[in-house]
Amino acid sequence: MDLRNIAIIAHVDHGKTTLVDELLKQSGAFREGQSVAERAMDSNDLERERGITILAKCTSVEWGATRINIVDTPGHADFGGEVERILSMVDGVVLLVDAAEGPMPQTKFVTAKALALGLRPIVVLNKVDKPAAEPDRALNEVFDLFANLGADDDQLDFPVLYASGINGWADTELDGPRADMTALFDLVTRHVPAPAQIAAADAPFAMLATTLSADPYLGRVLTGRVEAGRLRAGATLKALSRDGAKLESFRVTKVLAFRGLGQSPIDEAQAGDIVTLAGMSKATVADTLCDPARDTPLPAQPIDPPTISVTFGINDSPLAGRDGSKVQSRVIRERLMREAELNVAIRVTDTPGGEAFDVAGRGELQMGVLIENMRREGFELSISRPRVLMRDEGGTRLEPVEEVTIDVDDEFTGAVIEKITGPRRGDLVEMKPAGTGKTRIVAHVPSRGLIGYHGEFLTDTRGTGVLNRVFHDWAPYKGPIPGRRQGVLISMEDGTAVAYALWNLEDRGRMFINPQDPVYQGMIIGEHSRDNDLEVNPLKGKKLTNVRASGSDDAVKLTPPTLMTLEQAIAYIDDDELVEVTPKAIRLRKRFLDPHERKRQARASA
């Protein structure tokens, strides 16, 4: 059977996973009457809740005499480690672009990686049946994007399809029959080359491991594309590291291939196919699994380095251990090391003392997803404010700069530009009308300046603005950037918050807690209306007397508190504060200091 390996690239919410649903349905991957969940490729709970793709996943469909392996890639740059690995498995890419929005920052990030590998793209303009769609403008922007990214003549001569993924059709013309996805299937089989490795079918077996996972029955499993040779279950292979060192020899216990949404054992893996192997104990991502006679590893794609770091520590608050079952630093370390092994974009290092761990990654969203997964597994953690990782090159201190694309109503343009180019030290690159009363702003802003900005941005734009960001380059350090302007309200007592006390504190600022929530000394319960921190008593109840007086027995009416999500809390805190994360609660608190550190700081301030 002929083989085609393709990856689908798209910005967040441009319809990539919905399109894959339709390809699976129309290729006959599901039996008639089979119940299939919407966005079937988003199998992770967090992916379904947030509506984003986090993990790269593979599936395959059969179209005539051709088997098409399809890789669904994450659309967010924070999960770019997945993208950089899996692009080495495919021979072509389908670039999906919303006909109304045009190519967006995350599209640019992944497309640059694909073009650098020499992959020839197919452009699909999705959602062309929407009232705001402008397919001609979107197509021109795609061409300009390819030219700016250094595409060669073959890549610039790309075929175009017009589609509506949710309605299940794709056509070569905008006013085509709009019946089904036949045009896309046919174009993939014609335009995407068959794997070049087919010619090497009789060579010794070799495969580059691109994704690592754990199966409850098979143990450690590695997925990749067979670069040369054939393989049957029971064969003996060896694993070579990226520098050619031998890691282990092992017997292949299972050879699995993607068939529809699942994986099935196959008799023999052939060159060019994407398969999963089981049986190894040490081999990991970017290692070469090969015949014992082979001594040279396959070239592996370099992975972009992390840009931010967050400290994960044990929960040492007075409420520790009430919600979670995994609270020891040893258990936290094991979980983080396991994550670093599965995700090559994350780096974990121990801090002095061994009670906390520095976790470096691509962005706040990636850190938020990891923390959310851990709290659902029963962990209790204390999380520090994200810190941007700097570089030193030739005596110059460099910091990461991100390209920020903002779509905002015209009336809020001034406020947004003032914030990103003023205190956050960004450089305005482009500003142009985006239609329907909106303006598109493109700016290069230091990553430090974007930490904690999203909530402020939504306030400035009355919740109507859309902000997208992607790593751009390293640039010389741009000087200090001011942090949060307001102080916080800190509890001075241990106990349970009282409605009457919170009602009296509302004049001091906005609250972060509800009545009857447990509080303790040092816990942040609200934001102060001024720039200094203030210790308050949220336990102070009403004095009871026998005397009745007009107005003294009015009912307490509280303003609803501001309840932060995990990402909002991490971005909000200052350097001397922590986020306490448990399976049932997200709390903010001041960092507890030991007596010696407290005395040292007191002497320094004096």
Side-chain angles (χ1 to χ4, degrees):
M1 181 171 278
D2 284 346
L3 280 175
R4 299 292 187 274
N5 297 322
I6 64 167
I8 297 187
I9 296 172
H11 182 73
V12 177
D13 203 32
H14 277 202
K16 161 173 38 72
T17 308
T18 304
L19 183 80
V20 175
D21 280 2
E22 285 300 321
L23 295 178
L24 287 165
K25 290 175 186 174
Q26 296 188 24
S27 66
F30 307 139
R31 67 177 184 273
E32 189 173 349
Q34 180 177 349
S35 175
V36 181
E38 185 184 1
R39 302 197 320 276
M41 293 292 282
D42 283 349
S43 53
N44 184 294
D45 287 343
L46 277 180
E47 291 179 320
R48 291 191 169 281
E49 291 171 17
R50 297 176 182 232
I52 60 175
T53 301
I54 295 172
L55 302 171
K57 290 174 284 292
C58 191
T59 185
S60 78
V61 300
E62 292 183 13
W63 186 253
T66 304
R67 173 175 292 120
I68 304 173
N69 289 319
I70 303 171
V71 182
D72 185 12
T73 64
H76 202 287
D78 277 23
F79 310 110
E82 295 278 325
V83 175
E84 290 154 0
R85 297 198 308 246
I86 59 89
L87 285 178
S88 63
M89 294 197 297
V90 299
D91 304 293
V93 293
V94 174
L95 175 62
L96 195 69
V97 177
D98 189 311
E101 295 185 359
M104 297 291 280
Q106 319 297 355
T107 313
K108 177 181 177 181
F109 169 78
V110 187
T111 304
K113 299 287 182 184
L115 294 177
L117 291 172
L119 301 176
R120 294 179 62 200
I122 295 171
V123 174
V124 177
L125 298 176
N126 195 28
K127 306 183 184 180
V128 294
D129 51 350
K130 289 173 62 176
E134 297 182 58
D136 292 336
R137 175 184 60 81
L139 184 57
N140 289 334
E141 290 179 356
V142 170
F143 187 88
D144 292 342
L145 172 65
F146 285 5
N148 292 336
L149 294 176
D152 59 33
D153 291 342
D154 287 339
Q155 291 171 328
L156 287 173
D157 187 22
F158 54 84
V160 180
L161 291 179
Y162 302 91
S164 172
I166 198 165
N167 294 316
W169 57 265
D171 292 317
T172 54
E173 302 293 336
L174 186 56
D175 54 355
R178 301 189 173 188
D180 53 30
M181 289 284 180
T182 300
L184 180 54
F185 282 118
D186 291 343
L187 184 57
V188 168
T189 56
R190 290 197 320 269
H191 184 76
V192 177
Q197 292 80 3
I198 296 295
D202 297 327
F205 178 83
M207 182 185 104
L208 182 68
T210 51
T211 62
L212 169 69
S213 56
D215 186 278
Y217 302 104
L218 301 176
R220 193 186 192 90
V221 294
L222 285 167
T223 301
R225 182 173 67 174
V226 181
E227 299 291 332
R230 300 175 183 273
L231 180 71
R232 290 178 177 271
T236 300
L237 296 179
K238 70 177 179 180
L240 298 177
S241 66
R242 189 178 293 186
D243 57 5
K246 182 180 175 181
L247 299 174
E248 63 172 329
S249 294
F250 64 94
R251 178 177 169 272
V252 179
T253 57
K254 212 80 166 178
V255 181
L256 304 170
F258 293 91
R259 298 292 181 260
L261 286 177
Q263 285 185 296
S264 305
I266 57 173
D267 296 331
E268 184 180 65
Q270 62 174 340
D273 205 357
I274 296 175
V275 296
T276 298
L277 305 184
M280 70 290 299
S281 59
K282 296 180 181 177
T284 185
V285 170
D287 293 341
T288 300
L289 310 181
C290 60
D291 187 273
R294 185 182 176 106
D295 294 322
T296 56
L298 295 167
Q301 281 293 313
I303 303 297
D304 285 348
T307 56
I308 71 160
S309 173
V310 172
T311 301
F312 285 55
I314 59 171
N315 181 15
D316 56 355
S317 83
L319 302 179
R322 294 192 182 184
D323 299 338
S325 56
K326 300 173 182 176
V327 296
Q328 306 94 334
S329 60
R330 171 184 55 82
V331 179
I332 295 172
R333 185 181 188 279
E334 289 173 359
R335 174 65 176 84
L336 291 174
M337 291 301 178
R338 195 162 67 245
E339 182 70 24
E341 188 175 25
L342 294 174
N343 190 340
V344 293
I346 282 182
R347 198 170 59 215
V348 180
T349 54
D350 294 337
T351 60
E355 293 293 314
F357 314 95
D358 280 333
V359 181
R362 292 286 179 83
E364 295 162 63
L365 179 61
Q366 186 188 31
M367 293 292 107
V369 167
L370 171 59
I371 296 165
E372 182 64 35
N373 280 326
M374 290 181 69
R375 72 185 290 230
R376 293 185 182 198
E377 294 167 16
F379 284 87
E380 289 196 7
L381 307 163
S382 60
I383 308 296
S384 74
R385 176 179 170 83
R387 301 178 304 281
V388 171
L389 300 176
M390 304 288 186
R391 269 186 184 180
D392 281 322
E393 287 187 6
T396 304
R397 191 183 186 193
L398 303 180
E399 66 174 331
V401 172
E402 301 190 33
E403 182 175 282
V404 181
T405 302
I406 297 171
D407 287 320
V408 64
D409 290 346
D410 295 340
E411 59 185 300
F412 305 126
T413 303
V416 171
I417 292 177
E418 182 184 351
K419 288 283 179 67
I420 61 175
T421 60
R424 299 183 183 275
R425 299 184 181 272
D427 297 320
L428 188 64
V429 176
E430 184 183 15
M431 188 174 86
K432 61 182 180 181
T436 62
K438 286 188 175 290
T439 300
R440 175 164 292 183
I441 301 167
V442 181
H444 292 161
V445 187
S447 298
R448 291 180 298 131
L450 293 173
I451 294 175
Y453 174 60
H454 196 259
E456 196 175 326
F457 168 75
L458 290 177
T459 302
D460 291 342
T461 61
R462 308 295 188 270
T464 61
V466 178
L467 183 149
N468 291 285
R469 47 193 280 196
V470 64
F471 174 76
H472 173 66
D473 202 356
W474 295 87
Y477 180 71
K478 296 197 173 188
I481 292 176
R484 191 183 66 217
R485 288 180 295 178
Q486 274 79 27
V488 291
L489 301 176
I490 306 167
S491 172
M492 57 171 32
E493 297 289 345
D494 298 343
T496 302
V498 177
Y500 181 77
L502 299 183
W503 180 57
N504 283 322
L505 291 173
E506 284 190 346
D507 291 340
R508 299 287 189 178
R510 58 181 177 135
M511 293 294 125
F512 295 159
I513 62 171
N514 283 300
Q516 302 305 308
D517 282 352
V519 296
Y520 52 83
Q521 292 184 47
M523 179 174 160
I524 296 172
I525 64 167
E527 181 181 82
H528 195 195
S529 55
R530 300 187 181 181
D531 59 1
N532 64 305
D533 294 346
L534 183 67
E535 290 194 355
V536 296
N537 184 1
L539 276 57
K540 189 175 181 181
K542 183 180 179 182
K543 298 293 184 183
L544 301 179
T545 69
N546 292 336
V547 180
R548 299 289 181 106
S550 175
S552 64
D553 294 317
D554 290 344
V556 171
K557 295 180 181 178
L558 288 174
T559 304
T562 301
L563 302 179
M564 294 189 182
T565 63
L566 183 58
E567 283 89 358
Q568 289 171 339
I570 294 172
Y572 179 82
I573 58 174
D574 221 331
D575 292 333
D576 63 341
E577 297 163 1
L578 297 172
V579 179
E580 177 188 343
V581 179
T582 75
K584 296 181 181 178
I586 297 172
R587 305 183 185 96
L588 310 183
R589 66 174 173 85
K590 284 291 182 180
R591 191 188 296 269
F592 295 136
L593 302 177
D594 60 68
H596 300 293
E597 179 67 16
R598 197 178 291 116
K599 288 180 182 177
R600 188 189 67 78
Q601 289 197 6
R603 286 196 301 270
S605 61

